[in-house]
């Protein structure tokens, strides 16, 4: 009988050890903040793990929120950089189109009057592109820049 109790105790201890190992290696890696992994790894007994988890798990949701906010900030910065680059390229294209169209107009019709320069500077990219196509057939500056 004592032999059976001893085997049962050993079997129970093996199960506790396996569960403790699983808690430390699998569950804690998914749930615990990274800085607490090392502390969990040092614990050998299920009671120690239980005590540590009881003390610390209440703090984890706050840590998860903090990590989520930081991730959100990083993603926001990345998106902001991408949008900034895209806007910069768009502005560069528009400036290039404006310079080229201004040069073409000057070559075809002579010096730009103030009203035409203002109109060109307020133009959208679509307007500049339309005028760049029309300059080939326009007979006057007024005809070119009409609405």
């Amino acid at each position: 009988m004592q032999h059976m109790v001893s085997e049962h105790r050993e079997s129970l201890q093996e199960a506790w050890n396996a569960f403790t190992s699983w808690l430390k290696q699998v569950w804690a890696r998914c749930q615990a903040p990274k800085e607490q992994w090392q502390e969990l790894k040092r614990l050998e007994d299920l009671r120690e793990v239980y005590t540590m988890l009881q003390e610390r798990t209440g703090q984890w949701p706050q840590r998860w929120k903090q990590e989520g906010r930081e991730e959100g900030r990083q993603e926001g910065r990345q998106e902001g950089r991408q949008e900034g680059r895209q806007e910069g390229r768009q502005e560069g294209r528009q400036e290039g189109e404006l310079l080229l169209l201004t040069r073409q107009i000057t070559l075809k019709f002579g010096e730009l009057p103030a009203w035409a320069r203002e109109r060109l500077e307020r133009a959208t990219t679509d307007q500049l592109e339309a005028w760049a196509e029309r300059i080939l057939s326009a007979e006057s500056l007024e005809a070119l820049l009409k609405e």
Side-chain angles (χ1 to χ4, degrees):
M1 173 89 147
Q2 190 152 3
H3 179 33
M4 287 177 61
V5 170
S6 177
E7 281 183 18
H8 180 67
R9 222 179 251 151
E10 285 177 21
S11 181
L12 187 59
Q13 186 61 45
E14 286 177 25
W16 276 46
N17 290 342
F19 184 67
T20 302
S21 179
W22 177 83
L23 274 173
K24 294 185 322 184
Q25 294 176 12
V26 178
W27 183 83
R29 284 198 174 249
C30 296
Q31 301 297 322
K34 290 177 185 155
E35 63 271 4
Q36 292 182 0
W37 289 354
Q38 293 301 325
E39 189 176 346
L40 270 168
K41 283 170 119 180
R42 286 193 299 267
L43 301 176
E44 297 296 327
D45 184 89
L46 187 58
R47 287 180 201 96
E48 291 176 316
V49 172
Y50 176 78
T51 302
M52 188 270 189
L53 290 174
Q54 202 172 25
E55 292 170 358
R56 302 291 170 87
T57 54
Q59 302 166 359
W60 293 356
Q62 185 62 29
R63 179 70 183 153
W64 295 329
K65 286 178 188 175
Q66 183 180 352
E67 288 173 2
R69 281 188 211 109
E70 184 57 36
E71 254 181 61
R73 284 186 194 110
Q74 287 175 346
E75 288 175 12
R77 284 194 283 279
Q78 181 66 22
E79 287 176 16
R81 281 188 210 107
Q82 287 175 333
E83 286 177 18
R85 281 189 214 110
Q86 196 171 5
E87 287 176 15
R89 283 192 288 271
Q90 179 62 30
E91 287 176 14
R93 269 189 235 114
Q94 188 165 351
E95 286 177 20
E97 288 177 13
L98 175 62
L99 289 173
L100 181 59
L101 184 59
T102 301
R103 187 165 181 224
Q104 289 174 327
I105 291 171
T106 303
L107 290 171
K108 186 166 184 173
F109 301 115
E111 197 61 36
L112 279 175
W115 68 268
R117 187 169 301 282
E118 264 182 50
R119 184 99 192 270
L120 287 168
E121 288 173 358
R122 286 182 308 188
T124 65
T125 303
D126 290 341
Q127 286 175 314
L128 292 172
E129 288 173 358
W131 292 336
E133 291 173 9
R134 276 200 313 220
I135 195 164
L136 298 173
S137 59
E139 295 189 20
S140 69
L141 184 57
E142 291 78 11
L144 172 67
L145 299 181
K146 71 179 180 184
E147 298 270 340

